[in-house]
Amino acid sequence: MTAEISPGRPKVMLTSILAGVLIVLLIGAFALSVLNGQLAITPHSVLDILLEKIGVNLDGEPADLRLYNTLWSIRFPRVVLAAIVGAALALAGLLMQAIFGNPLAEPSIVGVSSGAALGAGFTIVFGVTIFGIWTIAAAAAITGLIATLVVYFMSRASGRTEVVTLVLTGIAVNAVCGAGIALLTYLGDTSAREQLVFWQLGSISGARWSQVTIVTIALICAIFYSFHISRRLDLLSLGERNARHLGVQVETLRISVIIIVAVIVGAAVAFTGIIAFVGLVIPHLMRMILGPAHLPLVITSALGGALLLTLADLGSRTIMPLTELPIGMLTSLLGGPFFFWMLRKTRKQAGGWG
């Protein structure tokens, strides 16, 4: 008797293989990022410091204090934050593309990142601390949510999201938020101005474990919620009318996803500044490999985003000696040409935008 193979089994196997490859590559990127930088550290030193952290000392001598502080206070939180922020931005891009039904949707393109940066900048310049250490992240999430809602309602016509209107609305929101950041830069003191320049260029320098904790909490909540709604996102991809006939409350789903996107993008932008195109490139690549089903895309997009930003952060620290390049610049150099290609491809599929 010949065993029947479920049609979904090859897709599950492909997802598992891809996820496994991404995890292996991510571990390798972690190792490279930890070992390389302005201060090179040997694998033996890293192993000694890790073992000493859990109470094991193979050499019988304490680890070098400078290396210990470099790893635990600077490099480890930085590498982990890069991976988590990359996963958050990629997941945000995937969710936005799902609810807008548009492959061009991405936090930086439609103004969510700049809106979140505006809120973070406001708290810096005026010294707002109403929520303690959560203040910057909360302000970024609120203004990011406002920006997302503006884009959502302005880009819809006749029950669907128009590609041109989506891009143009994002340009307008970015322009307004950019003007707001410029005004804050004018009003702020020297310290505030330096921080605002940091938001606009994007950087993961100065990462702290408290920041890692905040972004991790937001990301975990977003991932579990994405698992929960993945089936509804699949139905939504069939069209709003079909989704409603199949029992999906479309507007409720969209608003809830917008809130989740605002939270994770706000948390990421609050500590790293504007890092563009991660949410555009990664979900599209994963969709090209795995197809449109959202459950496997949630897993692989998060891993892919983590890998991309970990490598981008490594590049920002090592491409030029004795200096650090803005990570947002590197991701834009990668994502800009990709966006042009996506724009041309989408226009061709739409038969022109006349």
Side-chain angles (χ1 to χ4, degrees), residues 2-349:
T2 303
E4 294 185 1
I5 299 177
S6 171
R9 177 171 290 182
K11 188 67 69 176
V12 172
M13 291 179 60
L14 179 59
T15 302
S16 301
I17 292 172
L18 179 58
V21 170
L22 290 173
I23 290 172
V24 170
L25 292 176
L26 183 59
I27 292 173
F30 261 73
L32 288 174
S33 294
V34 169
L35 296 175
N36 293 280
Q38 299 301 328
L39 175 64
I41 303 176
T42 65
H44 183 266
S45 297
V46 174
L47 180 60
D48 284 346
I49 291 171
L50 288 173
L51 292 176
E52 184 171 305
K53 190 69 175 179
I54 61 175
V56 178
N57 194 324
L58 298 178
D59 298 334
E61 297 180 1
D64 185 295
L65 184 59
R66 184 181 64 151
L67 294 181
Y68 184 91
N69 290 332
T70 297
L71 282 178
W72 286 106
S73 300
I74 300 175
R75 198 160 293 178
F76 279 159
R78 177 170 185 154
V79 172
V80 174
L81 184 63
I84 295 172
V85 168
L89 294 177
L91 179 60
L94 174 66
L95 293 175
M96 291 190 70
Q97 290 166 17
I99 63 169
F100 282 116
N102 193 306
L104 298 178
E106 195 265 347
S108 65
I109 293 174
V110 298
V112 183
S113 295
S114 59
L118 179 62
F122 182 87
T123 64
I124 291 170
V125 171
F126 294 102
V128 180
T129 57
I130 186 172
F131 299 114
I133 63 172
W134 298 83
T135 301
I136 295 179
I142 291 171
T143 51
L145 174 60
I146 293 172
T148 312
L149 291 173
V150 169
V151 170
Y152 172 64
F153 288 112
M154 291 292 293
S155 62
R156 289 183 60 76
S158 303
R160 65 187 183 90
T161 304
E162 296 181 339
V163 176
V164 175
T165 309
L166 175 71
V167 175
L168 293 179
T169 305
I171 292 172
V173 169
N174 279 324
V176 171
C177 292
I181 293 174
L183 177 61
L184 291 173
T185 303
Y186 176 79
L187 296 175
D189 56 21
T190 302
S191 176
R193 289 171 184 167
E194 291 177 353
Q195 292 188 61
L196 289 173
V197 171
F198 156 83
W199 299 122
Q200 292 175 296
L201 296 177
S203 175
I204 308 184
S205 61
R208 299 190 299 273
W209 286 116
S210 60
Q211 298 171 351
V212 171
T213 301
I214 292 173
V215 183
T216 299
I217 292 173
L219 177 61
I220 290 174
C221 293
I223 288 175
F224 278 107
Y225 184 71
S226 300
F227 287 157
H228 176 66
I229 64 171
S230 60
R231 178 59 179 167
R232 280 177 277 174
L233 293 178
D234 290 343
L235 296 176
L236 183 61
S237 66
L238 300 175
E240 289 188 27
R241 180 175 298 177
N242 292 331
R244 287 193 177 96
H245 285 319
L246 293 171
V248 178
Q249 296 179 345
V250 175
E251 294 306 319
T252 301
L253 176 63
R254 280 203 171 105
I255 295 299
S256 66
V257 169
I258 286 173
I259 293 174
I260 289 294
V261 167
V263 169
I264 57 178
V265 173
V269 168
F271 304 123
T272 64
I274 300 175
I275 300 177
F277 293 113
V278 176
L280 175 72
V281 174
I282 295 300
H284 186 71
L285 290 178
M286 296 302 111
R287 193 177 290 109
M288 288 174 62
I289 298 172
L290 298 177
H294 285 86
L295 182 59
L297 288 177
V298 169
I299 301 168
T300 55
S301 293
L303 290 172
L307 175 62
L308 175 60
L309 209 57
T310 300
L311 293 175
D313 180 57
L314 174 61
S316 74
R317 293 186 281 119
T318 58
I319 289 176
M320 296 184 65
L322 303 179
T323 189
E324 181 175 318
L325 297 174
I327 192 171
M329 180 186 70
L330 293 180
T331 58
S332 294
L333 287 174
L334 171 67
F338 189 87
F339 177 69
F340 289 141
W341 175 73
M342 281 292 299
L343 196 62
R344 184 176 179 84
K345 178 183 176 183
T346 304
R347 180 182 185 276
K348 185 176 181 181
Q349 290 176 345

